[in-house]
Amino acid sequence: MRTKIWNSDVECMDRERLRALQGERLRAVVKREYENVPLYRERMDEKGVKPADIRTVDDLQYLPFMEKTDLRDTFPYGLFAAPKKDIVRIQGSSGTTGKPIVSGYTQNDIDAWTEMMARTLTAAGADENSIVQVCYGYGLFTGGLGAHQGAGRIGAMTVPMSSGNTQRQIMMMLELGTTHLCCTPSYALYLGETLEKMRIDRSQLKLKAGCFGAEPWTEEMRGEIERLLGLDALDIYGLTEIAGPGVSFECMEKHGMHVNEDHVIPEIINPLTGKALPYGEKGELVFTTITKEGMPMIRYRTHDICRLHDEKCACGRTLVRMERLMGRTDDMLVIRGVNVFPSQIESVLVGVQGVAPHYLLVVDRQNATDSLEIQVEVTDDMFADSLGKLEEIKRIIGERIKSVAGIKALITLVGPGTIPRFEGKAKRVIDKRNL
């Protein structure tokens, strides 16, 4: 078995036993939510559901959903199910309306989150002999502190670099012998590109694996990161409303992210009807926290699109796996009636020789007709090549985009370094339509 397991009693638990545990914890959290959160009690009453009606995981379907707007509408403490004296930390993220969302954590919540990140890092091969460099941002954003806590739990040497200052990040990797890297996939890519520009051979690094999350990425991007940094690039998933990073994680099999089902229950629903879908079908990801005390989330709609699979993994874990995210219902672009996800565009671009994996989608509307321009960076070598070669690349990209996404786009090739780089989540879309 290539992958290590932190807590085999839970991660390899028999499915029947796991469902019984989930049912027990679900009953407790529904009761807690009903008794302590007025908004959720009102919604349950509107549906005619009482805590006593919820007996097993199958009864989830009778409970109302929660949305990110609920967090904004009740900001800051309206969804807390524990007294403020029991809340030991606030984590959150900025909101597009100017009002952030926050989540309150009891000490038990912090401990559960830390356990989930310990499993995540262990699945990436980390242990007490590892050196984990954390390049996620620290602060209200859950990335930095979440990875830091998990590294501490497994006894690894932790390097709390936070984001930015890329050359210093690389210097610390070289000097300290960093073995594991935690950051966004777009920043990992940027680190790899910077290594090449600094003419540092990747063989000088001691990197073994990286835990990359906080934004959607593709298999093609995984290959590019692994080529540039010489490590195993693993996908991780989390969100402030549920726990932070570590909600799910990839093992070395790289066949989907294992969901920490003893702490959260995943569902896939039809985003239009709200109806639960079976394993293997694509839909919107929904989570219910079953151990969280400070601010439990019941049937929280993430708006992320993916599939769930319940087959046992070759690594030995029995936890349900979620596929790599395909996009978001709220990030999906509807252009001339066609649904387009940025990840579709990325999957095309990474496979084209002479093109760097940096792009920007510019959507506009003229005379009631939508237009899509895709600005794509070319490599240094290709930028200096003939006009005919550049035109050929544009043609290839255009044809592949039409095949994959079903839409015709204007392809604009730009010089190396033209597309903005981001130390946090990459911004891939500019929509000028004011929809």
Side-chain angles (χ1 to χ4, degrees):
M1 184 169 59
R2 291 184 63 214
T3 189
K4 298 178 181 178
I5 298 178
W6 173 255
N7 187 344
S8 59
D9 287 346
V10 173
E11 296 177 66
C12 304
M13 185 181 288
D14 175 79
R15 293 295 302 172
E16 191 172 330
R17 281 184 57 213
L18 180 57
R19 281 183 65 82
L21 176 64
Q22 289 177 324
E24 176 187 333
R25 291 179 172 179
L26 176 62
R27 291 191 292 273
V29 80
V30 170
K31 184 174 184 292
R32 182 184 190 90
E33 192 88 329
Y34 188 85
E35 292 176 350
N36 294 285
V37 181
L39 174 66
Y40 204 73
R41 181 166 60 248
E42 290 171 12
R43 289 188 178 171
M44 284 183 65
D45 288 344
E46 286 173 4
K47 288 179 71 73
V49 182
K50 299 296 183 185
D53 298 326
I54 307 303
R55 295 178 293 275
T56 70
V57 175
D58 293 333
D59 296 325
L60 265 176
Q61 60 183 309
Y62 304 120
L63 292 168
F65 291 109
M66 302 181 80
E67 295 263 9
K68 180 169 282 192
T69 52
D70 295 330
L71 281 80
R72 294 197 175 107
D73 292 344
T74 59
F75 178 84
Y77 300 128
L79 294 182
F80 281 22
K84 280 189 280 185
K85 68 179 180 63
D86 294 337
I87 302 295
V88 299
R89 190 191 300 172
I90 292 290
Q91 300 272 183
S93 61
S94 59
T96 55
T97 61
K99 185 180 286 188
I101 64 166
V102 296
S103 183
Y105 294 70
T106 66
Q107 187 56 54
N108 284 339
D109 295 339
I110 296 291
D111 291 343
W113 177 20
T114 301
E115 165 73 10
M116 288 191 274
M117 271 309 298
R119 297 175 191 176
T120 299
L121 287 164
T122 301
D127 57 24
E128 68 275 10
N129 299 309
S130 302
I131 301 173
V132 179
Q133 188 159 324
V134 181
C135 309
Y136 288 115
Y138 282 67
L140 280 177
F141 174 61
T142 55
L145 286 167
H148 188 115
Q149 291 161 194
R153 175 67 61 88
I154 66 173
M157 183 189 298
T158 310
V159 187
M161 290 294 294
S162 192
S163 57
N165 204 337
T166 301
Q167 292 195 1
R168 187 169 180 233
Q169 298 270 13
I170 291 171
M171 183 270 287
M172 294 297 274
M173 282 184 212
L174 289 166
E175 297 295 331
L176 296 176
T178 299
T179 60
H180 289 76
L181 181 64
C182 297
C183 63
T184 62
S186 56
Y187 191 54
L189 195 65
Y190 184 45
L191 285 166
E193 291 177 337
T194 305
L195 269 176
E196 287 193 331
K197 288 179 181 176
M198 294 172 69
R199 302 195 176 184
I200 297 173
D201 193 299
R202 74 178 195 184
S203 64
Q204 296 180 50
L205 300 174
K206 300 254 175 68
L207 288 172
K208 296 179 179 178
C211 296
F212 306 127
E215 63 189 23
W217 51 305
T218 61
E219 279 299 316
E220 292 80 6
M221 193 168 178
R222 187 208 300 270
E224 185 68 4
I225 291 170
E226 292 184 339
R227 182 188 71 80
L228 288 168
L229 294 177
L231 47 62
D232 281 299
L234 303 178
D235 202 359
I236 68 170
Y237 178 86
L239 60 171
T240 301
E241 302 91 306
I242 301 303
V247 170
S248 64
F249 59 91
E250 268 190 325
C251 66
M252 287 296 185
E253 296 296 328
K254 303 179 186 176
H255 287 155
M257 290 173 278
H258 297 277
V259 180
N260 280 303
E261 291 183 276
D262 55 322
H263 295 288
V264 294
I265 300 173
E267 297 177 85
I268 293 292
I269 65 166
N270 181 313
L272 299 178
T273 67
K275 182 181 177 182
L277 299 174
Y279 290 124
E281 288 201 24
K282 179 176 71 174
E284 181 182 343
L285 184 62
V286 172
F287 278 118
T288 295
T289 62
I290 52 176
T291 56
K292 202 167 182 183
E293 300 174 336
M295 200 177 86
M297 291 278 109
I298 295 179
R299 302 201 82 193
Y300 182 77
R301 298 185 63 161
T302 67
H303 296 286
D304 289 322
I305 303 295
C306 74
R307 293 185 181 92
L308 294 177
H309 299 282
D310 64 342
E311 301 91 352
K312 183 177 179 180
C313 181
C315 73
R317 291 178 179 85
T318 55
L319 301 172
V320 158
R321 284 169 290 157
M322 53 181 277
E323 284 186 5
R324 185 181 296 278
L325 299 182
M326 302 172 186
R328 292 179 53 82
T329 59
D330 51 1
D331 280 352
M332 181 179 73
L333 296 166
V334 182
I335 303 171
R336 300 193 295 274
V338 178
N339 297 340
V340 179
F341 292 100
S343 58
Q344 291 176 302
I345 309 300
E346 182 179 295
S347 68
V348 168
L349 299 180
V350 176
V352 177
Q353 189 173 6
V355 169
H358 299 287
Y359 63 95
L360 190 64
L361 310 184
V362 182
V363 189
D364 207 345
R365 175 171 290 171
Q366 295 180 347
N367 301 322
T369 302
D370 292 339
S371 64
L372 172 62
E373 178 192 9
I374 305 176
Q375 298 179 9
V376 185
E377 266 190 31
V378 294
T379 60
D380 289 300
D381 292 343
M382 190 55 63
F383 190 63
D385 214 318
S386 66
L387 183 61
K389 186 66 174 177
L390 294 173
E391 288 298 320
E392 175 66 7
I393 287 179
K394 288 171 63 173
R395 183 190 65 78
I396 291 171
I397 293 173
E399 288 181 355
R400 293 186 183 178
I401 294 294
K402 181 72 182 296
S403 174
V404 170
I407 191 168
K408 185 176 181 179
L410 171 67
I411 310 301
T412 303
L413 301 182
V414 299
T418 303
I419 304 296
R421 305 299 196 263
F422 298 92
E423 293 161 356
K425 297 183 181 182
K427 297 176 183 177
R428 304 294 196 191
V429 180
I430 297 175
D431 196 335
K432 300 180 178 180
R433 295 176 295 180
N434 297 318
L435 297 178

